[in-house]
Amino acid sequence: MKIVVCIKQVPSTNDVKIDPQTHNLVRSADGVINPFDKNAIEAALKLRDQTNGEVILLSMGPESYRESLLEGLAMGADSAYLLSSRALGGADTLATGYPLSQAIQKIGDVELVLFGRQSVDADTGQVGPIVAEYLNVPQVTFAEAIDLTEDHHLIGKRRLDAAEQEVEVELPAAVTVRSEMNQPRYATPRQIQKSFEKPLTVWTEQDLDLDPERIGLAGSPTQVTQVYAPAAAKKRVTMLTGTPEHAVQELLQSL
Amino acid sequence: MTDKNQKLANQMLMHMISDFTNNELAPVDMLIDKQGDYPEGLFELAVQTGLLGITLPQQYGGAGFDYAATAQALQIMAAGNASLAVTLEGHFKTIEQFMKYGNPELNDHYLPLATHQILAFSQTEPSGGSNPTGITTRAVKQGDNWVITGDKIMITNGGLASVYCVLAKTEDDQLAVFVVDQDMPGFSFGKREDFIGLKGTPVAEIVMDHIVVPDYHLLGQVGQGLEIGDQAHADARVLMGAVLAGIMTHELQIAVDYAKERKALTTPLYQLQVTQQKIADIAIAKQNTELLYQQAAKLKVQGQPYAEIAAMAKSYGSRSAVKVGDETLQILGGYGYSRDYPIEHLIRDARAMELAEGSIEKMNLEITKAEINK
Ligand SMILES: Cc1cc2nc3c(=O)[nH]c(=O)nc-3n(C[C@H](O)[C@H](O)[C@H](O)COP(=O)(O)OP(=O)(O)OC[C@H]3O[C@@H](n4cnc5c(N)ncnc54)[C@H](O)[C@@H]3O)c2cc1C
């Protein structure tokens, strides 16, 4: 079973910087794998071991994302693809989902695509569902458990804010993974060394025959006009004193 | 692998070790000291994460990182907890002796096990550790076998390790190193030492009662025992220098954090000149030890003599870590003297390394000898 895990590199520190001109996040050179994506990799590795499958990592981003792919390979993934070129830069979630879905089609025979539930820098959680739509496969978002059935289905347990839901979908399918699903393994020292011997292929828009109108900044319908930290709402507490009757009077008046 | 990729791989190793240290080790540092052992599952997790194979060549299933990267990894780890770093130090320095002196049959037998089983090195006996020519463990040749009888004490990882290199004397009074393992008839464990520091690292006695080993279990040649023992010490000292730099990293962190937060009336402690002197002492000692062990490791990787610098790293590092640990304790005032704070156990942990792998006095004699013979 071929499993693709889409991963993103995010800044390793909490002090995320925003470019004052483009309002996009400034990607720091020192990046780490998006934490939820590590859960997705772990889930994929477990399924691979059950099914004798293959885990393929896929990411879109600058050349420096190679380091995160190597880390994923060092966790045990089998091969990796990086979609990287100038034309792909500045993409929103739609212009990210499109190239990723095309890459998955080019990889071929993929039965399961896993994502983290969202990235910790942009926090949209949209790329997984967008890729699923492009591929026209069923999606299970916010999954905290997944199981394969013998008749080629996947049962996913979704955890939502106020509900739990169990859904069964036919493979191929896409799943976005919550951190509750598992505890990601560490990259081992040996696998770190071996990760450099594993296939890591870089594709550009030409390799994927992408529609130039639908990629990069030009292909992004979302324009970020402003990103700002919300002003903390000031809450006011008024103490009502005196006898209970007096306090009630005062309360009624102020309401 | 290209140099550039190897550099990146080393960086990835350091990230992974930092993650492991922050998630798994630092949170149980106090617990390890209090309960006098590793918490259940910690050592197993270290094995599962492949930490036993950092230096082991890839042909035996290891990762094959060089000694400099390995030492740096141990510094990072020791800044979270020194016990596990010392357990690995004992293992790695023993692997080095197999690599340098082991015959192919011996290495093919034992080194593949080293990814998940600990190897240990045993010289010290109840009669003493500083003067190995006085040992009483005997190796008697019988046909194609050797019969080994003796008692070794204070063995790092005793009980946890399954394979032991032992220094023994042959009938013609020559020193030689043999490899025995815990499954051999005649092998047993004695008492675990109740040491005052490094409470996670088991240190114990092993007893050998007429253990029969085939000839290929001889590490190196008969007559090479002293040389191999010295070599094991030199390799151990590089890594212990790193562990000590790690302990001082921890001490410095504690001192700086506290000096920023604690006030003498309204003045933070770090603004007092007396505290500033202490923090500078700690930082200098940490930095010096780091430079010494890194230089020793680099020389070793380059195939140049490193024993003297390695002795300096451990001699200077162990004395300093105890001394600046004491200064850190002083900065913390009464809290520093409390077992609710980690500093007192860092001093006890560091204190072990003024003895283990050769006492300070012995190392300083070696350094002096090297200087006089230059
Ligand atoms: C935590 C820990 C881990 C250890 N792990 C191991 C291990 O894995 N394997 C192993 O074989 N041993 C191990 N040891 C033992 C250690 O190597 C010895 O404690 C050390 O070599 C000193 O030997 P000793 O304790 O017998 O003291 P002694 O040799 O009796 O020395 C007592 C004192 O006299 C001084 N002294 C003795 N002889 C001389 C001399 N010729 N010149 C100058 N000064 C001298 C010493 O410096 C010391 O101060 C460990 C010890 C500790 C504390």
Side-chain angles (χ1 to χ4, degrees), chain A residues 5-9 33-34 37-38 40-41 57-60 65 68-70 72 100 114-116:
Chain A
V5 187
C6 293
I7 70 169
K8 181 183 185 184
Q9 183 163 304
I33 299 179
N34 177 45
D37 300 353
K38 278 196 174 179
I41 296 174
L57 304 175
L58 173 63
S59 190
M60 185 175 102
Y65 274 36
S68 286
L69 289 170
L70 284 167
L100 289 178
L114 298 181
F115 302 82

Side-chain angles (χ1 to χ4, degrees), chain B residues 335-356:
Chain B
Y335 292 125
Y337 192 61
S338 164
R339 290 203 65 195
D340 290 340
Y341 286 76
I343 185 61
E344 60 86 26
H345 92 72
L346 300 188
I347 299 172
R348 289 187 277 112
D349 289 354
R351 189 64 180 81
M353 285 168 269
E354 293 192 55
L355 289 161

